[in-house]
Amino acid sequence: MPHTAYMQRCFELALKGAGRVAPNPMVGAVLVYNDRIIGEGYHQRFGGAHAEVVAMRSVKAEDEHLIPEATMYVSLEPCSHHGKTPPCADMLVAQKVKRVVVANTDPNPVVAGRGIKKLRDAGIEVIEGVLEAEGLFLNRRFFTFHQQKRPYIILKWAQSADGFFTKDNKQQHWITGDLSRRLAHRWRAEEQAILVGYGTVMADNPQLTVRHWEPQHHPLRIVLDRNNTLPTDSKVFNDAAPTLLLSAKHRADLPVQQLIGPWQDGLPAQLFHILHERNIQSIIIEGGVATLQVFIAHGLWDEARVFTGPEHFTLGITAPILPVAPTATETIFPDRLDTYYKP
């Protein structure tokens, strides 16, 4: 089988770690001898064994003698430093694998080619760049964080068939069906932070937690309330998940962390600098319209996921408009889901 087939299997395995390994990247590994997979694994949780180690541990006793003639396929360069686990490059050297095939070099400055160098210095053949573009997309959050020094930004909203965000009365009204709402909770579980503005909290009183998807990983809730006037019994202030409140003045009656600042035109840049310092690699922006438009106007978004429901509102608040055409369209019955990527 060609290198690409085994690398594609690495990607399939890596995706099983979505929402569980951040701020680490999703990584899959496959150990192959004579066109036969003798071991495979993926990074399953933050702080746990890396994919290469899991794959090596999965090798059956009767196949262990094949390791020195085997090829390790791994979706990201093996690490070369001591973190929560020992260096994977050292393990591969110790196991004396014949060859290592990788999709991408690790953008993390503490690795950044050192793992590949360590393998080559030990006489192990290394092949780079197999399905490189696919690997970059798989770990687009990780690469954005290290290369652009900010989280990967996802915009998400639902709109009516005639392009309205809410009805004219501004009362909460479900636009999408059950499947779409369940998918939206899966997305929350896959990201590290979720953000809404004052208006969304006042209109919908959302919890911003994961309730319709397993496992239940709750993202950090970020709330923009410039004047700090939200009711204390708002659900975003409960203890179901951590909350970070951004405001211009402090309140002693709120049991959440507060960051005080001007939070005006420079809000996106200020916010993402703070999140980068906190090692937050991805964020999903869920509204409302004014908040979404701020990020669109600043060009600070990477991906947008827009549900369009079947109902027509006729009147209401117009949904945001993106300056690009959708990259992909699919049906999540009875809704349409358009996915956009910023050029």
Side-chain angles (χ1 to χ4, degrees), residues 40-292:
E40 64 179 26
Y42 66 97
H43 187 32
Q44 300 176 11
R45 61 178 179 82
F46 178 68
H50 288 188
E52 302 94 316
V53 175
V54 177
M56 198 66 73
R57 288 174 179 171
S58 74
V59 177
K60 296 179 180 179
E62 60 265 30
D63 288 333
E64 289 179 352
H65 71 285
L66 302 176
I67 293 174
E69 292 298 319
T71 297
M72 177 67 82
Y73 292 84
V74 59
S75 53
L76 190 69
E77 173 185 5
C79 64
S80 58
H81 66 292
H82 284 269
K84 290 185 177 294
T85 61
C88 292
D90 288 357
M91 182 272 296
L92 294 172
V93 170
Q95 292 287 341
K96 300 179 181 179
V97 297
K98 181 179 181 180
R99 182 185 300 109
V100 175
V101 180
V102 302
N104 305 109
T105 301
D106 195 324
N108 188 338
V110 301
V111 184
R114 293 181 178 89
I116 290 173
K117 183 178 185 303
K118 185 174 288 190
L119 294 172
R120 285 179 171 150
D121 287 348
I124 296 173
E125 179 187 1
V126 179
I127 299 175
E128 303 177 61
V130 174
L131 295 184
E132 183 177 13
E134 291 87 342
L136 290 171
F137 182 79
L138 170 72
N139 278 309
R140 55 197 184 277
R141 297 161 180 82
F142 186 72
F143 280 92
T144 296
F145 180 83
H146 285 287
Q147 294 175 341
Q148 300 189 39
K149 309 304 179 185
R150 63 164 177 81
Y152 186 84
I153 308 158
I154 301 170
L155 309 181
K156 175 259 173 183
W157 72 84
Q159 61 189 24
S160 66
D162 48 356
F164 291 103
F165 190 84
T166 60
K167 287 191 171 184
D168 199 37
N169 57 20
K170 300 183 181 180
Q171 293 181 351
Q172 185 181 37
H173 180 85
W174 288 116
I175 295 176
T176 58
D178 291 340
L179 289 177
S180 295
R181 292 197 290 272
R182 182 172 173 81
L183 179 57
H185 277 249
R186 171 186 166 183
W187 292 341
R188 289 181 181 180
E190 293 174 347
E191 310 310 331
Q192 288 185 271
I194 182 171
L195 181 146
V196 297
Y198 167 88
T200 296
V201 176
M202 290 300 296
D204 301 338
N205 195 20
Q207 295 189 61
L208 302 183
T209 56
V210 180
R211 301 180 303 282
H212 305 304
W213 191 260
E214 296 290 343
Q216 288 197 1
H217 158 77
H218 299 304
L220 170 68
R221 300 179 294 196
I222 302 175
V223 179
L224 307 180
D225 180 15
R226 183 177 302 178
N227 297 317
N228 214 341
T229 56
L230 285 171
T232 56
D233 60 353
S234 299
K235 292 177 181 178
V236 291
F237 298 142
N238 64 26
D239 60 2
T243 296
L244 178 63
L245 177 67
L246 305 184
S247 178
K249 58 183 179 180
H250 187 270
R251 278 171 61 184
D253 60 341
L254 293 178
V256 299
Q257 186 175 5
Q258 301 176 52
L259 282 180
I260 310 304
W263 309 121
Q264 296 174 356
D265 291 343
L267 177 135
Q270 293 172 352
L271 173 61
F272 295 137
H273 176 72
I274 290 168
L275 295 182
H276 185 268
E277 288 184 335
R278 291 171 176 244
N279 213 21
I280 300 293
Q281 295 189 358
S282 65
I283 183 170
I284 187 164
I285 316 293
E286 289 204 0
V289 171
T291 300
L292 289 162

